[in-house]
Amino acid sequence: MRKKIVAGNWKMNKTLAEGIELAKTINRQAGDNGVIIVLCTPFIHLTEVRNTITKDSLYLGAQNCAAETSGAYTGEVSAAMIRSTGAEYVIIGHSERRIYYHEDDATVNKKVKLALANELTPIFCCGEVLQERQSGIHFDVVRKQIEKGLFDLPAEDFAKVVIAYEPVWAIGTGVTATSQQAQEMHNLIREHVAEKYGNQAANNTSILYGGSCKPSNAGELFANPDVDGGLIGGASLTASDFMGIVNAF
Ligand code: PEP
């Protein structure tokens, strides 16, 4: 059985005090409806937020990790350092990293491997930009991102990966993919995984949707057979919105 997951990506928001407050509220409200909740905080929050978590359904994650193991890489934070805080997840290959920090498929692939080597679950992001969808190449774009980012993993490592489909045109824009667009792409991703790793692996892979997901549209998105939860940006910054999405299953 694949896991249902709702992960909040706080991005570059919240002071330490604000982050602790948000985490405390979410921790208080987190129930046990079978949904794994992941708080992907800025690096500086990780340890403190870890100390607020008392609920079994609540996990900690980072938003990125270095593409190197350790050493003279000023400003970088390694997968091992992230794991040492108690974090268990890490977002890899978010479109904002790919676009603003020029992370290519090879870099993303290195980060996935370092995350896995350090017992972090990678939340691997993929998704097309608007122009790619408009020119009808969105399926090919996503297929290629997944092949280059993940398909050289041995099956036992691939089994630990969570995939997040995030159409770039939907991130932070208020424009959400329709339920049909999400299901169509998630189904394509699952079929692609099945071709490479087999049906059982594909059925066990959690595929999250990300892009302007809110309490008002989460229920419809999550009702799709191939949508196993969400990666949530803006709406993860308010406990009531975020928990509204968690409870939308
Ligand atoms: C994201 O950045 O991963 C995201 C889904 O953002 P938003 O929910 O704000 O569109």
Side-chain angles (χ1 to χ4, degrees):
M1 264 289 277
R2 55 187 183 252
K3 294 172 183 151
K4 292 176 177 171
I5 301 171
V6 174
N9 175 10
W10 292 3
K11 309 195 186 187
M12 195 174 71
N13 292 294
K14 304 285 177 194
T15 63
L16 182 56
E18 289 166 350
I20 293 169
E21 201 43 50
L22 176 60
K24 277 186 182 163
T25 311
I26 291 169
N27 183 68
R28 224 174 13 249
Q29 294 178 7
D32 196 10
N33 63 347
V35 178
I36 288 176
I37 306 169
V38 188
L39 303 182
C40 296
T41 77
F43 293 129
I44 66 130
H45 295 66
L46 288 172
T47 303
E48 292 283 357
V49 168
R50 180 72 200 88
N51 292 335
T52 71
I53 294 177
T54 59
K55 298 283 176 65
D56 287 347
S57 55
L58 202 50
Y59 292 80
L60 182 66
Q63 301 168 17
N64 178 34
C65 70
E68 306 296 337
T69 309
S70 65
Y73 299 99
T74 302
E76 290 290 282
V77 178
S78 72
M81 289 155 70
I82 292 167
R83 185 69 189 96
S84 74
T85 67
E88 293 177 74
Y89 287 79
V90 60
I91 298 171
I92 305 276
H94 190 280
S95 61
E96 287 153 17
R97 301 290 320 170
R98 292 179 190 258
I99 295 166
Y100 303 142
Y101 302 96
H102 314 293
E103 289 189 9
D104 59 13
D105 291 319
T107 306
V108 169
N109 177 258
K110 269 176 96 176
K111 292 185 176 193
V112 166
K113 289 175 181 159
L114 282 166
L116 289 165
N118 287 282
E119 296 176 342
L120 291 168
T121 297
I123 301 177
F124 173 86
C125 299
C126 55
E128 80 285 359
V129 299
L130 185 59
Q131 201 197 353
E132 291 164 340
R133 178 163 282 265
Q134 284 170 340
S135 39
I137 59 167
H138 47 296
F139 294 131
D140 289 341
V141 167
V142 169
R143 230 186 259 126
K144 245 186 221 111
Q145 286 172 336
I146 289 178
E147 276 168 25
K148 293 190 171 163
L150 299 175
F151 277 10
D152 66 344
L153 296 177
E156 63 269 27
D157 279 349
F158 181 83
K160 298 172 190 157
V161 173
V162 171
I163 295 176
Y165 168 57
E166 298 206 299
V168 180
W169 46 270
I171 295 180
T173 58
V175 180
T176 315
T178 63
S179 183
Q180 192 198 343
Q181 285 170 325
Q183 168 56 24
E184 189 178 44
M185 185 64 88
H186 283 227
N187 182 253
L188 173 122
I189 292 170
R190 202 175 302 287
E191 281 181 356
H192 200 39
V193 170
E195 280 161 25
K196 171 74 185 169
Y197 291 104
N199 284 333
Q200 200 186 340
N203 280 330
N204 287 336
T205 303
S206 296
I207 307 176
L208 316 184
Y209 167 79
S212 298
C213 186
K214 314 178 248 273
S216 57
N217 56 30
E220 194 188 337
L221 287 161
F222 297 170
N224 285 300
D226 288 303
V227 178
D228 306 308
L231 179 54
I232 317 299
S236 73
L237 298 174
T238 315
S240 56
D241 282 348
F242 187 59
M243 292 313 294
I245 293 171
V246 170
N247 294 327
F249 268 107

